[in-house]
Amino acid sequence: MDEGISRLPERQLLEHRDFIGLDYPALYMCKPKRGVKRDDSKETYKLPHRLIEKKRRDRINECIAQLKDLLPEHLKLTTLGHLEKAVVLELTLKHLKALTALTEQQHQKIIALQNGKR
């Protein structure tokens, strides 16, 4: 045993007075566990989290609705009935890829014309 700690009389339970004056290393200090649930914080966490999630979903839905409005009519008619969110996203990607390819073709034609004039 350490020399600074006096030997305690043998008994089953230690009392508060037995610990007075002893220096405890940080190792023995009690730390709150991470997984401990607190009743007060659980309710205060749920409400803002739900509001944040609702705002996030609303933003996503609004953006998908705007993409749907921007799609050309011929793409909208390729599907029967209601356009689901996933279908709107797929059609938007298809349209953007077609526009990108068209822009690239026009760029190549411009370069070819410029080289022909030289």
Side-chain angles (χ1 to χ4, degrees), residues 27-42:
L27 179 66
Y28 297 109
M29 300 304 275
C30 293
K31 295 181 181 177
K33 294 183 181 177
R34 284 182 132 183
V36 174
K37 293 181 181 177
R38 297 180 193 148
D39 294 336
D40 60 342
S41 66
K42 186 176 181 182

Side-chain angles (χ1 to χ4, degrees), residues 38-97:
R38 297 180 193 148
D39 294 336
D40 60 342
S41 66
K42 186 176 181 182
E43 288 304 316
T44 56
Y45 170 76
K46 276 187 177 180
L47 184 62
H49 179 69
R50 286 181 184 164
L51 291 175
I52 291 169
E53 277 299 307
K54 184 179 181 334
K55 285 183 180 181
R56 185 184 70 84
R57 288 190 309 272
D58 289 344
R59 283 182 20 237
I60 290 170
N61 290 335
E62 179 60 31
C63 290
I64 290 175
Q66 288 179 16
L67 287 174
K68 182 180 174 182
D69 293 339
L70 291 173
L71 283 174
E73 288 301 319
H74 73 277
L75 283 177
K76 292 180 189 177
L77 297 175
T78 59
T79 61
L80 300 174
H82 173 71
L83 287 176
E84 295 177 354
K85 294 174 191 177
V87 174
V88 170
L89 292 173
E90 290 169 349
L91 291 175
T92 303
L93 281 174
K94 180 179 178 181
H95 185 59
L96 279 174
K97 287 178 182 178

